[in-house]
Amino acid sequence: MSYIRSSLANGVGEIVLDRPKALNALDQTMIDDMTDLLRRWADDDTVETVLVTSGSERAFCAGGDIRAIRDNALAADAAAITKYFGSEYELDQLVADFPKPYVSMINGAAMGGGLGISVHGEVRVVTESTMMAMPETAIGFFPDVGATYFLPRLPAGVGMWLGLTGSRISGADAVAVGMATHFVPADDFGTVADRIRSGAPLPEVFGDLAAPPSSDLRPSAIAEYFDDTSVAGVVGGLQGAVGDEWAQSMVTALRAASPTSLLVTAALIEAGERSTLAECFERELHAAERICATPDFAEGVRAVLVDKDRNPSFMPASLEDVDPHEVVRIVTGS
């Protein structure tokens, strides 16, 4: 069974993500099918635009098939893990390099792998129902799919904030920080998609859109606390903000994450700031291979996605107890 539907009409090749029970989480077959379609359409003169949509109103794509990766990790099947992440990142790079307009219609949840197949594309359309997040530190992993490239290129502190805390942002927020390019009210979402399907020129489709609603982000607070590559420095600053409810909620989010993952994430984002996208994918692939073999990954996925008790026992349990050599090993292999 394929979880990808496709069609080609009026010069528009459409990919529909259709795995609703899993909120379109990308399994290996979906990655392979999308890659095959995009490779063929890149060289097909009858395809002028690619449109990626969801068959579910609840989600665009909730991420990668993390449960299956955990199963492979528990079975010590390193080859399957390398195949999955290698092919996923190859797909994301294909999106980034696609020679024709690539339009993602992002309604509902878009997390992890869902951002990999959208944020790297030319046009990213969101609504008031859009929710974006990179929640990987809560499962003993790190923001991947090229996030270590695009997060450090967001406004001051925003990338580190999203990567460390897993905070969720709205469609208006996504436009404000540059993760989305266009905002469409949910009531008009289908109409805009139909206009694209009709082959209407994209400048015409998007030329008369109203401005998005105001963002609820606190850019000055985010920059104040998260424009720092030191996780200890971030936590210390937040803890010192007595009486600031937002700052204390961020402390709570950081305490729920794997300490090792937090330090790995900060190091990868810092390295990504001075790297190409291809270099980030290469670094992420090897870091993923190594971190999936750690107890924190299996434990984090268990707590969040398998047993859903949200009570992981990460080891070590505090930032102070994380061996810096282990962080370097995961990030660089040395």
Side-chain angles (χ1 to χ4, degrees):
M1 177 179 179
S2 176
Y3 297 115
I4 295 290
R5 292 187 281 116
S6 65
S7 62
L8 175 55
N10 304 314
V12 179
E14 181 173 2
I15 294 172
V16 182
L17 308 176
D18 194 21
R19 193 186 179 199
K21 291 184 179 180
L23 300 180
N24 295 334
L26 299 171
D27 70 1
Q28 187 69 59
T29 67
M30 295 171 75
I31 291 169
D32 294 344
D33 289 348
M34 276 195 73
T35 299
D36 179 64
L37 280 168
L38 291 180
R39 283 177 174 162
R40 287 193 283 114
W41 286 349
D43 296 325
D44 187 339
D45 292 339
T46 66
V47 178
E48 299 173 0
T49 301
V50 168
L51 175 65
V52 183
T53 61
S54 167
S56 168
E57 293 184 357
R58 295 176 60 199
F60 173 74
C61 173
D65 198 358
I66 295 296
R67 291 191 190 193
I69 298 167
R70 177 180 186 265
D71 290 342
N72 291 329
L74 292 174
D77 191 346
I81 292 171
T82 297
K83 177 183 178 182
Y84 180 88
F85 286 116
S87 58
E88 183 182 25
Y89 301 166
E90 183 179 2
L91 171 60
D92 298 335
Q93 183 77 64
L94 187 57
V95 170
D97 295 338
F98 203 70
K100 304 169 184 180
Y102 179 101
V103 183
S104 302
M105 301 291 290
I106 310 166
N107 198 32
M111 299 185 287
L115 298 183
I117 59 170
S118 58
V119 169
H120 297 296
E122 181 178 343
V123 180
R124 292 93 66 190
V125 185
V126 293
T127 77
E128 67 270 24
S129 298
T130 301
M131 183 279 289
M132 290 184 174
M134 296 295 296
E136 288 80 8
T137 60
I139 59 168
F141 198 63
F142 61 87
D144 64 332
V145 298
T148 63
Y149 178 83
F150 67 74
L151 289 178
R153 286 162 177 79
L154 299 181
V158 172
M160 195 66 75
W161 169 63
L162 291 173
L164 294 180
T165 67
S167 293
R168 300 179 173 193
I169 61 172
S170 69
D173 297 336
V175 173
V177 301
M179 290 178 67
T181 57
H182 299 84
F183 183 94
V184 173
D187 289 345
D188 299 332
F189 197 68
T191 300
V192 169
D194 285 342
R195 291 190 66 194
I196 297 172
R197 294 183 184 108
S198 75
L202 295 182
E204 179 182 309
V205 173
F206 295 115
D208 57 355
L209 293 180
S214 297
S215 167
D216 293 328
L217 292 183
R218 298 176 52 181
S220 60
I222 291 171
E224 177 182 355
Y225 296 116
F226 288 91
D227 194 13
D228 191 340
T229 58
S230 166
V231 179
V234 169
V235 173
L238 291 166
Q239 288 176 331
V242 179
D244 185 332
E245 292 185 5
W246 179 84
Q248 298 315 306
S249 71
M250 293 301 102
V251 173
T252 299
L254 292 169
R255 286 176 175 164
S258 157
T260 300
S261 290
L262 292 175
L263 294 171
V264 167
T265 295
L268 287 170
I269 290 175
E270 182 181 12
E273 187 173 5
R274 52 184 183 272
S275 302
T276 65
L277 178 59
E279 289 168 341
C280 286
F281 280 132
E282 181 73 12
R283 189 181 297 116
E284 289 175 8
L285 175 58
H286 297 306
E289 292 168 335
R290 290 184 281 265
I291 206 167
C292 282
T294 66
D296 271 13
F297 175 71
E299 173 62 5
V301 178
R302 178 206 65 76
V304 174
L305 298 175
V306 179
D307 297 337
K308 300 181 181 180
D309 58 26
R310 293 277 175 174
N311 187 31
S313 296
F314 292 127
M315 293 296 293
S318 68
L319 290 171
E320 296 77 15
D321 291 333
V322 176
D323 182 351
H325 295 97
E326 174 67 357
V327 176
V328 172
R329 184 191 71 82
I330 292 171
V331 173
T332 70
S334 61

